[in-house]
């Protein structure tokens, strides 16, 4: 018989993955999509964007040190093979495609 701690589905080191976008983009097209910071377990998050050719981009969440609210901050580019740009707008982000037509999927890991 397992103890209650052994049967729990909660794993403190496991990140929440939230697929927030899956779309075919024209060159320089943008889209706004909502995000929920209540899904984050702490003040860190990683936005991962991939295309159908295996290229990717990563943006890490940088919380504003002046504010005590997790939703105050920005996504800092870590790596970007896609030419995409990300802008944070309180409860949403704007993803701006680069100069190539491509199918993008985005996941928010928090």
């Amino acid at each position: 018989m397992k103890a209650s701690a052994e049967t729990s589905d909660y794993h403190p080191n496991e990140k929440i993955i939230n697929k927030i976008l899956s779309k075919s983009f024209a060159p320089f097209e943008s889209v706004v999509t909502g995000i929920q910071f209540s899904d984050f377990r702490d003040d860190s998050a990683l936005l991962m964007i991939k295309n159908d050719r295996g290229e990717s981009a990563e943006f890490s969440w940088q919380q504003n040190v002046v504010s005590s609210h997790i939703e105050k901050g920005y996504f800092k580019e870590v790596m970007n093979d896609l030419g995409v740009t990300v802008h944070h707008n309180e409860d949403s982000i704007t993803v701006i495609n680069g100069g190539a037509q491509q199918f993008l999927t985005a996941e928010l890991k928090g």
Side-chain angles (χ1 to χ4, degrees), residues 24-108:
S24 181
F25 281 81
F28 304 108
E29 181 180 3
S30 65
V31 68
V32 176
T33 185
I35 54 175
Q36 294 190 6
F37 285 94
S38 61
D39 290 341
F40 297 176
R41 288 204 169 104
D42 56 25
D43 64 355
S44 66
L46 183 65
L47 177 64
M48 299 184 67
I49 304 174
K50 298 179 182 179
N51 69 9
D52 52 351
R53 295 184 299 273
E55 298 167 317
S56 62
E58 292 182 11
F59 298 83
S60 68
W61 177 249
Q62 303 295 303
Q63 185 175 353
N64 189 346
V65 294
V66 177
S67 174
S68 63
H69 300 289
I70 191 169
E71 63 273 0
K72 303 291 184 188
Y74 64 97
F75 282 98
K76 179 181 178 181
E77 183 178 306
V78 176
M79 175 201 59
N80 192 347
D81 294 333
L82 302 174
V84 298
T85 306
V86 174
H87 296 285
H88 174 248
N89 308 304
E90 292 190 30
D91 59 352
S92 67
I93 58 171
T94 303
V95 177
I96 305 167
N97 187 30
Q101 182 173 337
Q102 55 189 343
F103 185 86
L104 299 176
T105 56
E107 294 179 339
L108 189 58

